[in-house]
Amino acid sequence: MGISMANEVSKSNLKLVRIEGDKALKVFSPEYSKTDVLYEALNTARVEDTGLAIPKLLSVSVEEDGSWVIASEYVKGKTLAELLKEHPENADAYAEAMVDYQVEFNKRSNPLLLKLKDKLARQIKELDIHANIKYELSARLEELPKHNKLCHGDYCPDNIIVSTDENNNITDITAVDWVHATQGNASADVANTYLTIKLKDEDFAEKYIAKFCEKTNTEKRYVDKWMPIVAAARLTRKNEEEKELLESMIDICDFQ
């Protein structure tokens, strides 16, 4: 959820983000799961413990109406999504900055974070799909390498805050919304980011994946091995607009 200069910067049915001085307050409706609120705060703190420069968690509280509030440092700037919309001519440079920050946080880890492969296995198990496809996805997941790198889980332009100079070059960058952070294989996180961007901006998605593979000396086919798995995991969001595309991507044979 990106942060901007307005007092109330984002709102949905169950939560909103507002700015109060030097704090960004994420306010959850009273119906929101207390467990999920506390998990988000804990996950953010565990990412902080890796030493990565992110907006610091300041407090967790509850208002009189029962709404839980997570307070964090307010980071001034634009989201990368806003910057891309304003200056599409700089897309290559912005993709590089995005990858550089991801490579930096992938170097870190915290053994207390949930294991990404365990989360993906649970999501696949929850899917209402043909048993054979579910078996193939689970088998592919099991054979892929286990790593313990810090993974964001929802690393996309909407969750990246940047500062720029007078020429619109990025001078500072950080990410927010670490609720889905895990420890796992960086290529799985990259595949998820690629898919998330591709659903909105296929051209920038290709720039992003090409830049990641170039900078990390990673073959794209290695990232591709994760694509049916992250597509299957995304199906658990039950977004009808994405369903047809995602279902077309979970065939293991297409990504051998």
Side-chain angles (χ1 to χ4, degrees), residues 62-200:
V62 61
E63 299 187 335
E64 289 184 4
D65 67 351
S67 299
W68 284 84
V69 181
I70 296 178
S72 302
E73 290 179 336
Y74 169 46
V75 178
K76 294 182 180 180
K78 297 179 178 180
T79 66
L80 183 58
E82 291 171 330
L83 193 62
L84 278 165
K85 187 174 182 179
E86 294 171 5
H87 301 285
E89 70 279 5
N90 295 337
D92 287 313
Y94 297 161
E96 183 169 7
M98 181 178 176
V99 167
D100 286 342
Y101 184 72
Q102 187 168 24
V103 169
E104 175 60 28
F105 69 69
N106 284 156
K107 294 176 182 177
R108 301 169 187 270
S109 186
N110 186 329
L112 297 179
L113 287 167
L114 176 69
K115 290 181 173 62
L116 177 55
K117 289 187 76 169
D118 290 348
K119 180 178 181 179
L120 291 169
R122 185 181 69 249
Q123 289 174 309
I124 290 171
K125 188 176 181 180
E126 292 173 1
L127 286 176
D128 182 20
I129 56 176
H130 195 282
N132 288 346
I133 298 177
K134 187 176 291 191
Y135 173 81
E136 292 292 341
L137 288 167
S138 298
R140 163 67 65 86
L141 177 61
E142 181 61 29
E143 73 183 21
L144 287 168
K146 294 180 180 179
H147 293 166
N148 63 351
K149 297 178 179 180
L150 174 60
C151 296
H152 185 284
D154 194 17
Y155 188 61
C156 62
D158 286 324
N159 286 334
I160 298 170
I161 308 299
V162 298
S163 299
T164 57
D165 61 19
E166 64 276 7
N167 296 316
N168 304 307
N169 298 311
I170 293 176
T171 57
D172 197 22
I173 185 169
T174 190
V176 295
D177 276 1
W178 290 88
V179 60
H180 301 294
T182 57
Q183 54 173 318
N185 192 307
S187 288
D189 206 29
V190 170
N192 184 64
T193 293
Y194 172 70
L195 175 59
T196 301
I197 300 173
K198 185 180 177 71
L199 290 166
K200 293 183 177 181

Side-chain angles (χ1 to χ4, degrees), residues 6-24:
N7 181 261
E8 186 177 293
V9 298
S10 180
K11 186 174 183 179
S12 66
N13 290 334
L14 293 177
K15 55 189 172 182
L16 64 85
V17 174
R18 68 172 185 259
I19 305 305
E20 290 187 2
D22 59 356
K23 296 180 181 179

